[in-house]
Amino acid sequence: MTLQELKPKIKNIIVQSQLTVDERLLKICEILETNINYYNWVGFYFKNGDKDELKLGPYVGEPTDHTIIPFGKGICGQVAVSNQNFVVPDVAAQDNYIACSITVKAEIVIPIFVNGENIGQIDIDSNTPDPFNEADERFLEFVCKEVSKLIS
């Protein structure tokens, strides 16, 4: 399934008001991980209250010990500070990288904004070297914009 073909499916999940926010976020993770072969771990991190840290939300993939990430630490923590997309073609080349699994070769993190404030992010790990391109960035920005409707 192409990224474009996934967009209406994401929109459909967002409007399923009979499900909790976390249930919808998990469905988004599942549909991305299932339909995009190089999305091997898909999850959400959100700002943890008033603390300068991120807390793991719904995800699919290998279990992770990284349930809390301080701002500035790792790729997710850097995005929490920079408010910018971060595409990592080769995690081994990153100094400030938190390894979740030895199989991970690349990562992409896109922030989620509500009323101009970075409230979280989608984090995707890939076991494929350098798989992410501009189409992934634009698609994941779309996903984050849809997710922001759940949080606002």
Side-chain angles (χ1 to χ4, degrees):
M1 193 172 293
T2 68
L3 299 178
Q4 289 300 3
E5 290 169 329
L6 285 171
K7 284 184 174 183
K9 296 189 177 305
I10 298 295
K11 283 181 174 272
N12 183 46
I13 292 168
I14 295 295
V15 298
Q16 293 178 13
S17 57
Q18 75 279 12
L19 300 176
T20 67
V21 169
D22 278 358
E23 287 169 334
R24 287 181 268 181
L25 292 174
L26 182 59
K27 278 181 162 282
I28 290 169
C29 293
E30 289 168 346
I31 201 165
L32 296 180
E33 192 270 340
T34 301
N35 288 284
I36 305 170
N37 65 353
Y38 54 94
Y39 285 18
N40 302 113
W41 190 98
V42 180
F44 290 96
Y45 281 93
F46 292 99
K47 188 170 188 310
N48 191 9
D50 292 336
K51 300 176 185 168
D52 285 342
E53 65 185 23
L54 297 165
K55 185 175 183 181
L56 181 62
Y59 74 95
V60 293
E62 292 291 316
T64 179
D65 292 335
H66 305 291
T67 57
I68 300 289
I69 298 177
F71 281 14
K73 187 160 172 53
I75 308 307
C76 290
Q78 290 176 75
V79 169
V81 173
S82 73
N83 299 322
Q84 302 289 317
N85 297 352
F86 201 151
V87 180
V88 182
D90 177 7
V91 295
Q94 280 294 317
D95 290 339
N96 190 3
Y97 172 70
I98 302 171
C100 290
S101 167
I102 57 167
T103 60
V104 174
K105 305 288 186 234
E107 183 174 13
I108 185 170
V109 179
I110 308 292
I112 302 166
F113 295 98
V114 173
N115 299 324
E117 181 187 351
N118 181 346
I119 56 98
Q121 52 206 221
I122 191 167
D123 176 21
I124 299 176
D125 292 343
S126 181
N127 299 338
T128 305
D130 196 13
F132 305 114
N133 59 37
E134 189 173 334
D136 291 291
E137 275 195 81
R138 298 298 84 81
F139 171 69
L140 293 170
E141 287 169 353
F142 162 83
V143 171
C144 289
K145 195 168 192 167
E146 291 299 310
V147 166
S148 73
K149 296 173 184 175
L150 292 177
I151 313 296
S152 57

